[in-house]
Amino acid sequence: MSSTRADAAQATTTRAPRWWRTSLYVALVAALAFGVVGCGKRGGTSGGDSGGDSGGDGGGKGPTVGLVTDLGGLNDRSFNALANKGLEKAESDLGAQGVVIESKSASDYEKNLGQFAQQKKDLTVGVGFLMADSINNVATKSTGTKFAIIDYSVKDDPFKSPANVRGLIFSEQEAGYLAGALAGMVEQEGTLKGLNGAKVVSAIGGQKIPPVEKYLAGYQAGVKKFCTGCKVLIDYSQDFIDQGKCQDRANAQMSKGSDIVFQVAGGCGLGALSAVKAKGVWGIGVDADQAYLGAHILTSAVKNVDVAVFDTIKAVGDGTFQGGSDGVYGLKEDGVGLGEIAPAAKQYETQVATVIADVKAGKVTIPTSPK
């Protein structure tokens, strides 16, 4: 937007007849106003000294909402992108006025959240477990502002069930279990192209944090339930961004016999899915349905972050927001699920549907920590 404003300034200083300059000025003001509304609400970044939201609100009449991404940003094609999808739906359906700031470092979190608090947004959403301390610090100072944090319970430290903060948490173990069940069925039968007969599968987590651990625990349990003698390798990239790190770990796991790799590492995990494609084996996506990456994606363990974000914005708008408590999104609440199953594995859909029904009915006890 800064270059557009610079161009406008230059144009309005060009010598021309008075009537022409007046018409041009009006047109430029209209164009700039459109740009602020249409472009300013997306793609803001922070870092260095500038802080930085990206401009004005979306222009609707619903709640004003600020969304702060974690380091993966809106282009992670997964977690942050889903949160943004929920905000966009709220803009479309509810007239919400949204602004997004993409964090460039962990030190940006508190600054970005504080910026929205100072602007007195009706709701500020922090995307991710790692923002807990920052949200707690800002929310404690801004008790008149509502906050939501994705993947963290407000009943856990550092929170003290604050009245202005709502936790949005998910039953990732259920989605992981479904993905593991399918992987186990595939390994047990052993007929899909790309399998090596070793009965080894694997998973790569970004860090040992509860959302990741729940995914991995469910996956491990699902594989073990449906594949006799299957081995599940688990490794951590210690990163949610660097694709090279996840690619390296996937290659290491495949060298040990893994022919199905489950990525639970956000944008980093895209590197793992690229590695399995190169080796002609199978990958499992996370959070978003990552079937779009190609036919090598067996399925995805889906977490509908967009649903939780939309629900929370709606609650703020209609006056039903409940701070000091958590919204829990599991399979029954359409908060988690299984993505598209690869065409080569469609024969397992009926079996998977039975597993889904059993999980919804509470017939399956799924661990939340991997063994």
Side-chain angles (χ1 to χ4, degrees), residues 212-287:
V212 171
E213 294 289 85
K214 288 193 287 182
Y215 267 133
L216 298 180
Y219 177 70
Q220 187 180 59
V223 172
K224 296 287 189 178
K225 174 68 176 178
F226 291 91
C227 180
T228 304
C230 263
K231 185 176 182 179
V232 183
L233 307 177
I234 294 177
D235 196 4
Y236 298 87
S237 60
Q238 305 303 331
D239 198 291
F240 288 98
I241 301 171
D242 188 342
Q243 294 188 23
K245 290 181 179 179
C246 285
Q247 187 174 40
D248 289 345
R249 280 160 178 75
N251 282 326
Q253 291 177 339
M254 289 185 288
S255 72
K256 297 176 182 178
S258 176
D259 49 20
I260 301 176
V261 179
F262 178 29
Q263 79 96 346
V264 192
C268 172
L270 295 174
L273 298 181
S274 294
V276 301
K277 182 178 182 180
K279 294 289 187 180
V281 298
W282 295 94
I284 296 176
V286 76
D287 293 336

Side-chain angles (χ1 to χ4, degrees), residues 32-341:
L32 285 168
F34 175 80
V36 167
V37 171
C39 303
K41 65 185 178 176
R42 286 289 177 269
T45 60
S46 70
D49 297 328
S50 62
D53 89 339
S54 49
D57 293 326
K61 295 182 179 179
T64 57
V65 183
L67 187 145
V68 178
T69 75
D70 74 2
L71 305 187
L74 295 179
N75 292 324
D76 67 353
R77 305 172 84 176
S78 182
F79 191 67
N80 292 285
L82 284 170
N84 187 48
K85 180 181 176 183
L87 175 56
E88 289 181 333
K89 179 174 171 59
E91 289 174 333
S92 174
D93 294 4
L94 308 175
Q97 304 167 63
V99 181
V100 178
I101 300 179
E102 295 182 80
S103 302
K104 295 303 179 184
S105 71
S107 63
D108 292 333
Y109 294 157
E110 190 162 335
K111 175 181 63 177
N112 295 341
L113 294 161
Q115 182 170 316
F116 287 143
Q118 290 175 357
Q119 294 171 0
K120 299 189 183 301
K121 298 295 184 189
D122 295 321
L123 175 68
T124 296
V125 181
V127 184
F129 180 92
L130 299 177
M131 287 193 202
D133 286 330
S134 297
I135 287 185
N136 182 60
N137 291 342
V138 175
T140 300
K141 300 171 186 175
S142 307
T143 55
T145 300
K146 297 179 177 66
F147 296 84
I149 179 167
I150 297 170
D151 274 355
Y152 206 102
S153 171
V154 297
K155 298 175 184 178
D156 293 337
D157 289 337
F159 295 107
K160 308 293 183 185
S161 297
N164 61 331
V165 184
R166 183 164 178 80
L168 305 177
I169 58 177
F170 298 83
S171 301
E172 291 95 348
Q173 70 274 16
E174 294 179 352
Y177 184 82
L178 299 181
L182 176 60
M185 294 172 191
V186 166
E187 288 287 339
Q188 184 68 25
E189 193 165 285
T191 58
L192 288 192
K193 183 179 179 181
L195 299 182
N196 57 29
K199 286 192 174 182
V200 179
V201 303
S202 61
I204 300 168
Q207 293 181 15
K208 287 187 177 183
I209 58 176
V212 171
E213 294 289 85
K214 288 193 287 182
Y215 267 133
L216 298 180
Y219 177 70
Q220 187 180 59
V223 172
K224 296 287 189 178
K225 174 68 176 178
F226 291 91
C227 180
T228 304
C230 263
K231 185 176 182 179
V232 183
L233 307 177
I234 294 177
D235 196 4
Y236 298 87
S237 60
Q238 305 303 331
D239 198 291
F240 288 98
I241 301 171
D242 188 342
Q243 294 188 23
K245 290 181 179 179
C246 285
Q247 187 174 40
D248 289 345
R249 280 160 178 75
N251 282 326
Q253 291 177 339
M254 289 185 288
S255 72
K256 297 176 182 178
S258 176
D259 49 20
I260 301 176
V261 179
F262 178 29
Q263 79 96 346
V264 192
C268 172
L270 295 174
L273 298 181
S274 294
V276 301
K277 182 178 182 180
K279 294 289 187 180
V281 298
W282 295 94
I284 296 176
V286 76
D287 293 336
D289 188 342
Q290 296 184 314
Y292 62 83
L293 291 172
H296 63 293
I297 303 300
L298 181 64
T299 191
S300 301
V302 171
K303 178 160 68 174
N304 294 324
V305 175
D306 53 321
V307 172
V309 170
F310 177 84
D311 285 353
T312 307
I313 296 170
K314 184 175 185 296
V316 169
D318 62 25
T320 60
F321 176 89
Q322 294 183 327
S325 62
D326 299 322
V328 182
Y329 291 84
L331 199 56
K332 289 191 293 185
E333 295 80 18
D334 193 32
V336 300
L338 199 64
E340 181 181 346
I341 294 176

